[in-house]
């Protein structure tokens, strides 16, 4: 708007200067008025009309250029905003993916640790059961060994059941 006003003032000053020079021409033509009176009036009217048309065309062109500049600036701002939003969305998506990947790795680590603990516990239970069985076999006779064996198998089955329950827990 300021640019348009400034351009309009400059244009008006130029027009005024042109009008002033035309007035000088008018005065000199007025001296010769008797010889060329009608011709000079028509010529002056034609010059004014032509000047107004040029002035209007110039203002219209300036208006079009101003609109195009504003549109270009708006498009540039819009593109910058869209680019910024896309970048922010990319960062958010990347952060979400990193968090999800970290959670997955933590869960996998926890599962592996639990599996190792259960394997260790199962191995300890088997070792204990075998040690007890060997101890009983060394201390007792055949009859006692048979009873011990039955008891150990029951204990072993119970321990396996406990282990299965521990795994499902």
């Amino acid at each position: 708007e300021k640019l348009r006003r400034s351009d309009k003032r400059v244009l008006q000053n130029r027009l005024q200067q042109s009008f002033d020079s035309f007035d000088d021409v008018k005065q000199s033509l007025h001296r010769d008025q008797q010889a060329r009176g009608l011709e000079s009036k028509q010529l002056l009217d034609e010059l004014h009309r032509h000047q107004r048309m040029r002035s209007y065309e110039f203002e219209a062109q300036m208006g079009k250029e101003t609109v195009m500049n504003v549109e270009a600036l708006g498009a540039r701002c819009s593109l910058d905003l869209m680019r910024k939003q896309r970048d922010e969305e990319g960062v958010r998506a990347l952060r979400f993916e990193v968090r999800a990947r970290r959670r997955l790795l933590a869960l996998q680590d926890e599962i592996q640790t639990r599996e190792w603990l259960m394997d260790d516990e199962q191995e300890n239970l088997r070792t204990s059961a075998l040690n007890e069985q060997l101890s009983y076999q060394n201390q007792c006779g055949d009859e006692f060994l048979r009873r011990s064996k039955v008891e150990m198998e029951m204990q072993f089955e119970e321990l396996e059941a406990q282990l299965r329950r521990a795994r499902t827990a």
Side-chain angles (χ1 to χ4, degrees), residues 84-98:
K84 183 179 178 182
Q85 287 174 342
R86 185 185 67 227
D87 291 346
E88 288 172 355
E89 288 172 6
V91 167
R92 277 194 299 270
L94 186 59
R95 284 182 184 157
F96 178 78
E97 187 176 329
V98 166

mmCIF file with all atom_site columns, all heavy atoms in Angstrom, residues 84-98:
data_model
loop_
_atom_site.group_PDB
_atom_site.id
_atom_site.type_symbol
_atom_site.label_atom_id
_atom_site.label_alt_id
_atom_site.label_comp_id
_atom_site.label_asym_id
_atom_site.label_entity_id
_atom_site.label_seq_id
_atom_site.pdbx_PDB_ins_code
_atom_site.Cartn_x
_atom_site.Cartn_y
_atom_site.Cartn_z
_atom_site.occupancy
_atom_site.B_iso_or_equiv
_atom_site.pdbx_formal_charge
_atom_site.auth_seq_id
_atom_site.auth_comp_id
_atom_site.auth_asym_id
_atom_site.auth_atom_id
_atom_site.pdbx_PDB_model_num
ATOM 1   N N   . LYS A 1 84 ? 8.610  -27.020 6.982  1.00 0.00 ? 84 LYS A N   1
ATOM 2   C CA  . LYS A 1 84 ? 8.858  -27.073 8.430  1.00 0.00 ? 84 LYS A CA  1
ATOM 3   C C   . LYS A 1 84 ? 7.970  -28.127 9.089  1.00 0.00 ? 84 LYS A C   1
ATOM 4   O O   . LYS A 1 84 ? 8.419  -28.910 9.922  1.00 0.00 ? 84 LYS A O   1
ATOM 5   C CB  . LYS A 1 84 ? 8.609  -25.699 9.047  1.00 0.00 ? 84 LYS A CB  1
ATOM 6   C CG  . LYS A 1 84 ? 8.907  -25.631 10.520 1.00 0.00 ? 84 LYS A CG  1
ATOM 7   C CD  . LYS A 1 84 ? 8.669  -24.246 11.072 1.00 0.00 ? 84 LYS A CD  1
ATOM 8   C CE  . LYS A 1 84 ? 8.921  -24.222 12.571 1.00 0.00 ? 84 LYS A CE  1
ATOM 9   N NZ  . LYS A 1 84 ? 8.639  -22.898 13.123 1.00 0.00 ? 84 LYS A NZ  1
ATOM 10  N N   . GLN A 1 85 ? 6.684  -28.150 8.706  1.00 0.00 ? 85 GLN A N   1
ATOM 11  C CA  . GLN A 1 85 ? 5.773  -29.154 9.267  1.00 0.00 ? 85 GLN A CA  1
ATOM 12  C C   . GLN A 1 85 ? 6.219  -30.563 8.893  1.00 0.00 ? 85 GLN A C   1
ATOM 13  O O   . GLN A 1 85 ? 6.197  -31.469 9.736  1.00 0.00 ? 85 GLN A O   1
ATOM 14  C CB  . GLN A 1 85 ? 4.343  -28.904 8.757  1.00 0.00 ? 85 GLN A CB  1
ATOM 15  C CG  . GLN A 1 85 ? 3.683  -27.701 9.370  1.00 0.00 ? 85 GLN A CG  1
ATOM 16  C CD  . GLN A 1 85 ? 2.328  -27.399 8.726  1.00 0.00 ? 85 GLN A CD  1
ATOM 17  O OE1 . GLN A 1 85 ? 2.015  -27.858 7.639  1.00 0.00 ? 85 GLN A OE1 1
ATOM 18  N NE2 . GLN A 1 85 ? 1.528  -26.613 9.422  1.00 0.00 ? 85 GLN A NE2 1
ATOM 19  N N   . ARG A 1 86 ? 6.640  -30.751 7.648  1.00 0.00 ? 86 ARG A N   1
ATOM 20  C CA  . ARG A 1 86 ? 7.104  -32.072 7.221  1.00 0.00 ? 86 ARG A CA  1
ATOM 21  C C   . ARG A 1 86 ? 8.346  -32.484 8.004  1.00 0.00 ? 86 ARG A C   1
ATOM 22  O O   . ARG A 1 86 ? 8.456  -33.630 8.453  1.00 0.00 ? 86 ARG A O   1
ATOM 23  C CB  . ARG A 1 86 ? 7.395  -32.061 5.717  1.00 0.00 ? 86 ARG A CB  1
ATOM 24  C CG  . ARG A 1 86 ? 7.772  -33.441 5.182  1.00 0.00 ? 86 ARG A CG  1
ATOM 25  C CD  . ARG A 1 86 ? 8.173  -33.409 3.715  1.00 0.00 ? 86 ARG A CD  1
ATOM 26  N NE  . ARG A 1 86 ? 9.411  -32.669 3.601  1.00 0.00 ? 86 ARG A NE  1
ATOM 27  C CZ  . ARG A 1 86 ? 9.644  -31.714 2.698  1.00 0.00 ? 86 ARG A CZ  1
ATOM 28  N NH1 . ARG A 1 86 ? 8.719  -31.394 1.839  1.00 0.00 ? 86 ARG A NH1 1
ATOM 29  N NH2 . ARG A 1 86 ? 10.793 -31.081 2.655  1.00 0.00 ? 86 ARG A NH2 1
ATOM 30  N N   . ASP A 1 87 ? 9.254  -31.542 8.205  1.00 0.00 ? 87 ASP A N   1
ATOM 31  C CA  . ASP A 1 87 ? 10.461 -31.842 8.985  1.00 0.00 ? 87 ASP A CA  1
ATOM 32  C C   . ASP A 1 87 ? 10.109 -32.210 10.424 1.00 0.00 ? 87 ASP A C   1
ATOM 33  O O   . ASP A 1 87 ? 10.664 -33.157 10.987 1.00 0.00 ? 87 ASP A O   1
ATOM 34  C CB  . ASP A 1 87 ? 11.426 -30.655 8.963  1.00 0.00 ? 87 ASP A CB  1
ATOM 35  C CG  . ASP A 1 87 ? 12.046 -30.416 7.586  1.00 0.00 ? 87 ASP A CG  1
ATOM 36  O OD1 . ASP A 1 87 ? 11.932 -31.322 6.725  1.00 0.00 ? 87 ASP A OD1 1
ATOM 37  O OD2 . ASP A 1 87 ? 12.626 -29.336 7.380  1.00 0.00 ? 87 ASP A OD2 1
ATOM 38  N N   . GLU A 1 88 ? 9.188  -31.453 11.018 1.00 0.00 ? 88 GLU A N   1
ATOM 39  C CA  . GLU A 1 88 ? 8.777  -31.740 12.400 1.00 0.00 ? 88 GLU A CA  1
ATOM 40  C C   . GLU A 1 88 ? 8.096  -33.111 12.494 1.00 0.00 ? 88 GLU A C   1
ATOM 41  O O   . GLU A 1 88 ? 8.330  -33.859 13.433 1.00 0.00 ? 88 GLU A O   1
ATOM 42  C CB  . GLU A 1 88 ? 7.837  -30.648 12.911 1.00 0.00 ? 88 GLU A CB  1
ATOM 43  C CG  . GLU A 1 88 ? 8.538  -29.330 13.187 1.00 0.00 ? 88 GLU A CG  1
ATOM 44  C CD  . GLU A 1 88 ? 7.569  -28.203 13.513 1.00 0.00 ? 88 GLU A CD  1
ATOM 45  O OE1 . GLU A 1 88 ? 6.327  -28.417 13.440 1.00 0.00 ? 88 GLU A OE1 1
ATOM 46  O OE2 . GLU A 1 88 ? 8.056  -27.107 13.845 1.00 0.00 ? 88 GLU A OE2 1
ATOM 47  N N   . GLU A 1 89 ? 7.259  -33.431 11.513 1.00 0.00 ? 89 GLU A N   1
ATOM 48  C CA  . GLU A 1 89 ? 6.607  -34.740 11.507 1.00 0.00 ? 89 GLU A CA  1
ATOM 49  C C   . GLU A 1 89 ? 7.638  -35.854 11.350 1.00 0.00 ? 89 GLU A C   1
ATOM 50  O O   . GLU A 1 89 ? 7.532  -36.909 11.981 1.00 0.00 ? 89 GLU A O   1
ATOM 51  C CB  . GLU A 1 89 ? 5.571  -34.814 10.375 1.00 0.00 ? 89 GLU A CB  1
ATOM 52  C CG  . GLU A 1 89 ? 4.336  -33.974 10.636 1.00 0.00 ? 89 GLU A CG  1
ATOM 53  C CD  . GLU A 1 89 ? 3.404  -33.894 9.438  1.00 0.00 ? 89 GLU A CD  1
ATOM 54  O OE1 . GLU A 1 89 ? 3.660  -34.583 8.416  1.00 0.00 ? 89 GLU A OE1 1
ATOM 55  O OE2 . GLU A 1 89 ? 2.422  -33.144 9.510  1.00 0.00 ? 89 GLU A OE2 1
ATOM 56  N N   . GLY A 1 90 ? 8.646  -35.621 10.524 1.00 0.00 ? 90 GLY A N   1
ATOM 57  C CA  . GLY A 1 90 ? 9.707  -36.610 10.357 1.00 0.00 ? 90 GLY A CA  1
ATOM 58  C C   . GLY A 1 90 ? 10.469 -36.838 11.647 1.00 0.00 ? 90 GLY A C   1
ATOM 59  O O   . GLY A 1 90 ? 10.778 -37.982 12.009 1.00 0.00 ? 90 GLY A O   1
ATOM 60  N N   . VAL A 1 91 ? 10.742 -35.754 12.368 1.00 0.00 ? 91 VAL A N   1
ATOM 61  C CA  . VAL A 1 91 ? 11.454 -35.871 13.654 1.00 0.00 ? 91 VAL A CA  1
ATOM 62  C C   . VAL A 1 91 ? 10.590 -36.627 14.649 1.00 0.00 ? 91 VAL A C   1
ATOM 63  O O   . VAL A 1 91 ? 11.077 -37.512 15.368 1.00 0.00 ? 91 VAL A O   1
ATOM 64  C CB  . VAL A 1 91 ? 11.841 -34.466 14.178 1.00 0.00 ? 91 VAL A CB  1
ATOM 65  C CG1 . VAL A 1 91 ? 12.287 -34.529 15.631 1.00 0.00 ? 91 VAL A CG1 1
ATOM 66  C CG2 . VAL A 1 91 ? 12.934 -33.861 13.309 1.00 0.00 ? 91 VAL A CG2 1
ATOM 67  N N   . ARG A 1 92 ? 9.298  -36.284 14.709 1.00 0.00 ? 92 ARG A N   1
ATOM 68  C CA  . ARG A 1 92 ? 8.395  -36.983 15.636 1.00 0.00 ? 92 ARG A CA  1
ATOM 69  C C   . ARG A 1 92 ? 8.323  -38.467 15.301 1.00 0.00 ? 92 ARG A C   1
ATOM 70  O O   . ARG A 1 92 ? 8.373  -39.325 16.189 1.00 0.00 ? 92 ARG A O   1
ATOM 71  C CB  . ARG A 1 92 ? 6.994  -36.364 15.588 1.00 0.00 ? 92 ARG A CB  1
ATOM 72  C CG  . ARG A 1 92 ? 6.834  -35.136 16.438 1.00 0.00 ? 92 ARG A CG  1
ATOM 73  C CD  . ARG A 1 92 ? 5.371  -34.760 16.620 1.00 0.00 ? 92 ARG A CD  1
ATOM 74  N NE  . ARG A 1 92 ? 4.678  -34.456 15.388 1.00 0.00 ? 92 ARG A NE  1
ATOM 75  C CZ  . ARG A 1 92 ? 4.597  -33.261 14.833 1.00 0.00 ? 92 ARG A CZ  1
ATOM 76  N NH1 . ARG A 1 92 ? 5.168  -32.252 15.396 1.00 0.00 ? 92 ARG A NH1 1
ATOM 77  N NH2 . ARG A 1 92 ? 3.945  -33.077 13.714 1.00 0.00 ? 92 ARG A NH2 1
ATOM 78  N N   . ALA A 1 93 ? 8.211  -38.794 14.021 1.00 0.00 ? 93 ALA A N   1
ATOM 79  C CA  . ALA A 1 93 ? 8.127  -40.202 13.612 1.00 0.00 ? 93 ALA A CA  1
ATOM 80  C C   . ALA A 1 93 ? 9.418  -40.939 13.953 1.00 0.00 ? 93 ALA A C   1
ATOM 81  O O   . ALA A 1 93 ? 9.380  -42.082 14.429 1.00 0.00 ? 93 ALA A O   1
ATOM 82  C CB  . ALA A 1 93 ? 7.844  -40.294 12.107 1.00 0.00 ? 93 ALA A CB  1
ATOM 83  N N   . LEU A 1 94 ? 10.545 -40.290 13.734 1.00 0.00 ? 94 LEU A N   1
ATOM 84  C CA  . LEU A 1 94 ? 11.830 -40.913 14.053 1.00 0.00 ? 94 LEU A CA  1
ATOM 85  C C   . LEU A 1 94 ? 11.968 -41.141 15.560 1.00 0.00 ? 94 LEU A C   1
ATOM 86  O O   . LEU A 1 94 ? 12.401 -42.209 15.992 1.00 0.00 ? 94 LEU A O   1
ATOM 87  C CB  . LEU A 1 94 ? 12.975 -40.023 13.542 1.00 0.00 ? 94 LEU A CB  1
ATOM 88  C CG  . LEU A 1 94 ? 14.379 -40.588 13.670 1.00 0.00 ? 94 LEU A CG  1
ATOM 89  C CD1 . LEU A 1 94 ? 14.496 -41.906 12.918 1.00 0.00 ? 94 LEU A CD1 1
ATOM 90  C CD2 . LEU A 1 94 ? 15.388 -39.584 13.147 1.00 0.00 ? 94 LEU A CD2 1
ATOM 91  N N   . ARG A 1 95 ? 11.563 -40.160 16.348 1.00 0.00 ? 95 ARG A N   1
ATOM 92  C CA  . ARG A 1 95 ? 11.616 -40.325 17.808 1.00 0.00 ? 95 ARG A CA  1
ATOM 93  C C   . ARG A 1 95 ? 10.716 -41.468 18.258 1.00 0.00 ? 95 ARG A C   1
ATOM 94  O O   . ARG A 1 95 ? 11.101 -42.258 19.116 1.00 0.00 ? 95 ARG A O   1
ATOM 95  C CB  . ARG A 1 95 ? 11.192 -39.029 18.496 1.00 0.00 ? 95 ARG A CB  1
ATOM 96  C CG  . ARG A 1 95 ? 12.245 -37.963 18.464 1.00 0.00 ? 95 ARG A CG  1
ATOM 97  C CD  . ARG A 1 95 ? 11.807 -36.723 19.184 1.00 0.00 ? 95 ARG A CD  1
ATOM 98  N NE  . ARG A 1 95 ? 12.817 -35.677 19.064 1.00 0.00 ? 95 ARG A NE  1
ATOM 99  C CZ  . ARG A 1 95 ? 12.581 -34.413 19.186 1.00 0.00 ? 95 ARG A CZ  1
ATOM 100 N NH1 . ARG A 1 95 ? 11.366 -33.985 19.471 1.00 0.00 ? 95 ARG A NH1 1
ATOM 101 N NH2 . ARG A 1 95 ? 13.551 -33.526 19.059 1.00 0.00 ? 95 ARG A NH2 1
ATOM 102 N N   . PHE A 1 96 ? 9.523  -41.539 17.679 1.00 0.00 ? 96 PHE A N   1
ATOM 103 C CA  . PHE A 1 96 ? 8.601  -42.618 18.038 1.00 0.00 ? 96 PHE A CA  1
ATOM 104 C C   . PHE A 1 96 ? 9.214  -43.968 17.665 1.00 0.00 ? 96 PHE A C   1
ATOM 105 O O   . PHE A 1 96 ? 9.146  -44.926 18.441 1.00 0.00 ? 96 PHE A O   1
ATOM 106 C CB  . PHE A 1 96 ? 7.261  -42.416 17.310 1.00 0.00 ? 96 PHE A CB  1
ATOM 107 C CG  . PHE A 1 96 ? 6.281  -43.522 17.586 1.00 0.00 ? 96 PHE A CG  1
ATOM 108 C CD1 . PHE A 1 96 ? 5.584  -43.562 18.776 1.00 0.00 ? 96 PHE A CD1 1
ATOM 109 C CD2 . PHE A 1 96 ? 6.075  -44.535 16.647 1.00 0.00 ? 96 PHE A CD2 1
ATOM 110 C CE1 . PHE A 1 96 ? 4.690  -44.589 19.034 1.00 0.00 ? 96 PHE A CE1 1
ATOM 111 C CE2 . PHE A 1 96 ? 5.188  -45.557 16.906 1.00 0.00 ? 96 PHE A CE2 1
ATOM 112 C CZ  . PHE A 1 96 ? 4.494  -45.579 18.098 1.00 0.00 ? 96 PHE A CZ  1
ATOM 113 N N   . GLU A 1 97 ? 9.812  -44.047 16.486 1.00 0.00 ? 97 GLU A N   1
ATOM 114 C CA  . GLU A 1 97 ? 10.414 -45.301 16.035 1.00 0.00 ? 97 GLU A CA  1
ATOM 115 C C   . GLU A 1 97 ? 11.577 -45.702 16.952 1.00 0.00 ? 97 GLU A C   1
ATOM 116 O O   . GLU A 1 97 ? 11.719 -46.872 17.303 1.00 0.00 ? 97 GLU A O   1
ATOM 117 C CB  . GLU A 1 97 ? 10.921 -45.150 14.600 1.00 0.00 ? 97 GLU A CB  1
ATOM 118 C CG  . GLU A 1 97 ? 11.409 -46.436 13.992 1.00 0.00 ? 97 GLU A CG  1
ATOM 119 C CD  . GLU A 1 97 ? 11.802 -46.266 12.535 1.00 0.00 ? 97 GLU A CD  1
ATOM 120 O OE1 . GLU A 1 97 ? 11.203 -45.430 11.845 1.00 0.00 ? 97 GLU A OE1 1
ATOM 121 O OE2 . GLU A 1 97 ? 12.705 -46.990 12.099 1.00 0.00 ? 97 GLU A OE2 1
ATOM 122 N N   . VAL A 1 98 ? 12.384 -44.728 17.365 1.00 0.00 ? 98 VAL A N   1
ATOM 123 C CA  . VAL A 1 98 ? 13.508 -45.025 18.258 1.00 0.00 ? 98 VAL A CA  1
ATOM 124 C C   . VAL A 1 98 ? 12.997 -45.522 19.604 1.00 0.00 ? 98 VAL A C   1
ATOM 125 O O   . VAL A 1 98 ? 13.502 -46.510 20.156 1.00 0.00 ? 98 VAL A O   1
ATOM 126 C CB  . VAL A 1 98 ? 14.397 -43.768 18.432 1.00 0.00 ? 98 VAL A CB  1
ATOM 127 C CG1 . VAL A 1 98 ? 15.369 -43.929 19.594 1.00 0.00 ? 98 VAL A CG1 1
ATOM 128 C CG2 . VAL A 1 98 ? 15.158 -43.475 17.143 1.00 0.00 ? 98 VAL A CG2 1
#
